[in-house]
Amino acid sequence: MARIVILTGAGISAESGLGTFRDKDGLWSRYDLGDVATPEGFARNPDLVHAFYNARRANCLGAQPNAAHLALARLEAERPGDVLVVTQNVDDLHQRAGSKALIQMHGALMRALCAGCGLRWDAPAEMSATDRCPVCGAAKTRPDVVWFGEVPYHMEEIQAALSACEVFVAIGTSGNVYPAAGFAAAARRAGARCMELNLEPSDVSRVFHDRRFGPATEVVPAWVDDLLSRP
Ligand code: APR
């Protein structure tokens, strides 16, 4: 079990140019999440939803991991087996930075899912409502991302990690969306030391023992350097 569990949110990818959801001019100030991030929205207008995720996929393909993603990959390389990153992000910047022990609890922009037979495969750059599943042939393909009202992935594995970790760190997340917003409290109840690394206090900032505020590309590498300077 990993000694250090790290939860990341959109804030860790902000300086890679991918924006966030709830900051000023964030995604939810430009789109109605009910239209583009719910099963009902997808049923109503699949073309709009595919266009939304095609645009985000294009942004992601054009983005690079930043110093914060790279610092977490460095920590994992220096402390093999000690680190688990649980990300709410659907971008692939943690993977491209080199993180291996990684759970994408809200799914992945770069993956496609057939709502008919459950097949998952690497998504093409552009998906459309007329795409057919490579196996069952149904025109029911969707981005393999978890929408509001759906169950996040790998929750049992995440809960086991939270109950066993010694250190829990949340990076770049506003603490608005459960179950992820409840992870710090769960880790604290299990005895972990909890640290928030964020641009500003999140909605659950009071749950943490320690907090460091600033851009992720500054506070995350500094925190990793501190950690690696200790035995
Ligand atoms: N460095 C560090 N933190 C940052 C930076 C930055 N450069 N820029 C923004 N932040 C912080 C903001 O202060 C905010 O607390 O990142 C957080 C982003 O919050 P949200 O936009 O709410 O994103 P997130 O917490 O990841 O949202 C959770 O909500 O919409 C759903 O599924 C979506 O996974 C997402 C979930």
Side-chain angles (χ1 to χ4, degrees):
M1 272 299 178
R3 206 170 56 77
I4 304 169
V5 172
I6 301 165
L7 172 70
T8 65
I12 200 170
S13 298
E15 291 163 270
S16 294
L18 293 189
T20 61
F21 294 97
R22 294 172 184 83
D23 289 324
K24 198 174 56 57
D25 72 31
L27 269 175
W28 298 147
S29 67
R30 288 179 277 132
Y31 292 88
D32 175 342
L33 68 83
D35 290 340
V36 294
T38 62
E40 297 77 12
F42 185 62
R44 252 194 328 270
N45 187 343
D47 292 334
L48 173 69
V49 175
H50 277 302
F52 175 69
Y53 285 98
N54 289 344
R56 292 182 65 192
R57 196 174 295 109
N59 286 345
C60 187
L61 286 167
Q64 293 302 324
N66 64 49
H69 298 102
L70 293 166
L72 297 186
R74 176 161 56 93
L75 176 62
E76 181 184 337
E78 300 277 332
R79 296 277 191 280
D82 254 8
V83 179
L84 172 66
V85 174
V86 178
T87 188
Q88 301 171 84
N89 300 338
V90 293
D91 64 54
D92 62 348
L93 298 184
H94 281 301
Q95 291 94 320
R96 286 162 54 195
S99 285
K100 305 267 184 301
L102 174 68
I103 291 177
Q104 285 196 280
M105 64 181 288
H106 288 166
L109 261 183
M110 301 305 165
R111 297 286 281 170
L113 168 66
C114 173
C117 70
L119 180 79
R120 285 180 169 82
W121 66 99
D122 288 342
E126 298 258 319
M127 294 185 72
S128 90
T130 54
D131 291 349
R132 291 199 169 273
C133 168
V135 165
C136 78
K140 293 184 173 180
T141 65
R142 56 174 277 186
D144 185 18
V145 299
V146 177
W147 285 326
F148 287 95
E150 295 183 325
V151 180
Y153 294 158
H154 308 295
M155 283 306 296
E156 279 182 29
E157 187 183 350
I158 294 169
Q159 272 143 3
L162 293 172
S163 58
C165 70
E166 293 170 21
V167 176
F168 174 81
V169 183
I171 302 171
T173 181
S174 64
N176 261 280
V177 175
Y178 287 80
F183 288 175
R188 183 162 181 157
R189 273 196 302 278
R193 185 86 188 160
C194 300
M195 161 88 85
E196 178 168 75
L197 302 178
N198 211 53
L199 197 58
E200 62 203 4
S202 73
D203 285 8
V204 291
S205 208
R206 71 193 176 292
V207 174
F208 292 84
H209 298 100
D210 313 300
R211 304 159 190 82
R212 291 186 192 178
F213 297 127
T217 54
E218 289 170 21
V219 296
V220 177
W223 170 70
V224 168
D225 289 346
D226 286 352
L227 211 61
L228 292 178
S229 68
R230 287 182 243 137

